[in-house]
Amino acid sequence: MPELPEVETVKRGLAPVMEGSRIRRAELRRPDLRFPFPPAFSEALEGRRIVSLGRRAKYLLIDIEGGDVVIAHLGMSGSFRVEGAPEAETPGDFHMPRSKDTRHDHVVFHLETADGDRRVVYNDPRRFGFMDLARRQDLAAHPFFRDLGEEPTGNTLDADYIAAKFRGRQTPLKAALLDQKNIAGLGNIYVCEALWRAHLSPERLAGTLVTAAGKPKKELVVLTEAIRQVIADAIEAGGSTLRDHIRADGSLGYFQHSFSVYDREKEPCRTPGCTGTIGRIVQGGRSTFHCAACQK
Ligand SMILES: [Zn+2]
């Protein structure tokens, strides 16, 4: 499943092609993905210019002139690719069978760009992804976005903010960090990685990182920095996922297989000086990888 860094990578890969281009045609090859496309989806886009691309949590946001925004979610297996650029690979050049299967090309944006015509193709074999349309001014109050917490990117996420969220909470850290109302877009892999980096047990209760006065303890300051850093590192690496992922520029994606703790059950802990072994526990139905020796 694409996590926040993958969506950010997709956004950065698509932006040079899509921003400033005009949508000649928004071709829908089926009436729905996970949900039906909104009525008049294509009509709302055709002939319009794309103002900018953005991201909120794991949602890709395509701002269209006139105030409409396309909200796109990649679901479990969604990917974009660009066709028509001289340097772009054709679908047949992809090495991953799942993504070169054009039967799963469900949406094609036919674009007129400054460099000529391009096609931005959305492929999604499992169809857990979706696209919706909203007005820009309604976005903050939109059901997808109104309850989301701060982004782990940029400068808004700090220890004081998390302390206010965690104060008095008898919730394990793993669950508190996955709660999108606290931090937006943080998923299972990066929560495991951040907790390992901060030497904090996933079972530790969130409220124990906050003083009686509601201030962040030093451990929470360290955790906050770890969260920001694991996300920043992954974005820098071009996004990472457990499965192969096609990068948005039409080439095979950059895969970061080297997670420090995620999916490393029974391997030696990589914390310098630690002799522990990575264990796996199940929390909220999902695997948590951690080192009981150095994560307290
Ligand atoms: Zn360890």
Side-chain angles (χ1 to χ4, degrees):
M1 181 186 293
E3 291 215 28
L4 185 156
E6 283 81 50
V7 182
E8 180 66 24
T9 299
V10 168
K11 184 199 87 177
R12 291 180 184 190
L14 290 175
V17 176
M18 296 188 87
E19 287 182 346
S21 72
R22 198 174 64 83
I23 303 172
R24 286 187 193 276
R25 192 154 70 93
E27 179 190 353
L28 307 180
R29 295 186 173 171
R30 48 179 301 122
D32 57 4
L33 294 169
R34 181 170 168 188
F35 309 120
F37 288 99
F41 181 80
S42 297
E43 290 82 348
L45 303 181
E46 284 172 5
R48 302 277 179 139
R49 202 165 288 282
I50 296 170
V51 179
S52 64
L53 261 64
R55 179 192 57 74
R56 178 75 168 109
K58 294 190 218 173
Y59 298 92
L60 183 68
L61 302 174
I62 306 171
D63 269 277
I64 310 295
E65 67 175 350
D68 283 330
V69 184
V70 175
I71 304 166
H73 196 284
L74 299 173
M76 306 284 285
S77 58
S79 66
F80 283 94
R81 68 173 190 273
V82 178
E83 293 181 0
E87 68 276 14
E89 295 179 52
T90 60
D93 289 339
F94 290 131
H95 303 295
M96 304 312 301
R98 197 192 304 271
S99 289
K100 81 177 176 189
D101 191 339
T102 55
R103 285 178 308 166
H104 303 306
D105 290 348
H106 304 309
V107 182
V108 183
F109 295 105
H110 299 265
L111 303 178
E112 176 188 337
T113 80
D115 302 320
D117 286 355
R118 300 285 186 271
R119 291 177 304 281
V120 170
V121 182
Y122 179 70
N123 182 292
D124 191 349
R126 296 181 66 182
R127 297 203 307 271
F128 277 103
F130 57 87
M131 290 189 197
D132 202 354
L133 206 54
R135 298 292 294 171
R136 169 47 76 173
Q137 71 260 28
D138 299 335
L139 223 53
H142 192 283
F144 292 157
F145 304 107
R146 63 187 173 209
D147 295 325
L148 287 177
E150 291 288 358
E151 292 280 325
T153 54
N155 296 317
T156 47
L157 185 72
D158 61 29
D160 286 337
Y161 168 83
I162 302 180
K165 294 285 187 182
F166 283 8
R167 188 177 190 181
R169 291 276 300 274
Q170 302 294 307
T171 313
L173 274 177
K174 173 77 184 299
L177 291 173
L178 282 177
D179 185 346
Q180 302 295 297
K181 292 182 182 128
N182 294 331
I183 303 171
L186 209 54
N188 199 37
I189 293 173
Y190 297 104
V191 167
C192 291
E193 295 292 303
L195 286 169
W196 175 81
R197 281 200 199 190
H199 307 303
L200 288 168
S201 166
E203 295 179 299
R204 175 101 173 248
L205 299 182
T208 65
L209 301 187
V210 184
T211 68
K215 291 291 170 195
K217 292 185 183 173
K218 184 160 183 292
E219 294 161 302
L220 184 51
V221 174
V222 171
L223 175 62
T224 306
E225 183 54 29
I227 292 165
R228 291 165 52 106
Q229 202 57 54
V230 291
I231 293 294
D233 288 353
I235 289 172
E236 191 176 322
S240 55
T241 177
L242 294 181
R243 288 186 319 169
D244 294 340
H245 190 74
I246 302 297
R247 214 167 60 176
D249 65 5
S251 63
L252 202 61
Y254 186 107
F255 316 141
Q256 183 187 346
H257 288 296
S258 57
F259 295 113
S260 296
V261 66
Y262 190 85
D263 209 22
R264 290 190 180 277
E265 188 180 10
K266 296 182 177 143
E267 292 185 29
C269 177
R270 295 182 166 199
T271 297
C274 180
T275 55
T277 302
I278 303 304
R280 185 178 73 89
I281 55 174
V282 176
Q283 293 177 289
R286 306 187 68 185
S287 289
T288 301
F289 297 89
H290 71 121
C291 172
C294 69
Q295 289 180 247
K296 297 298 182 187

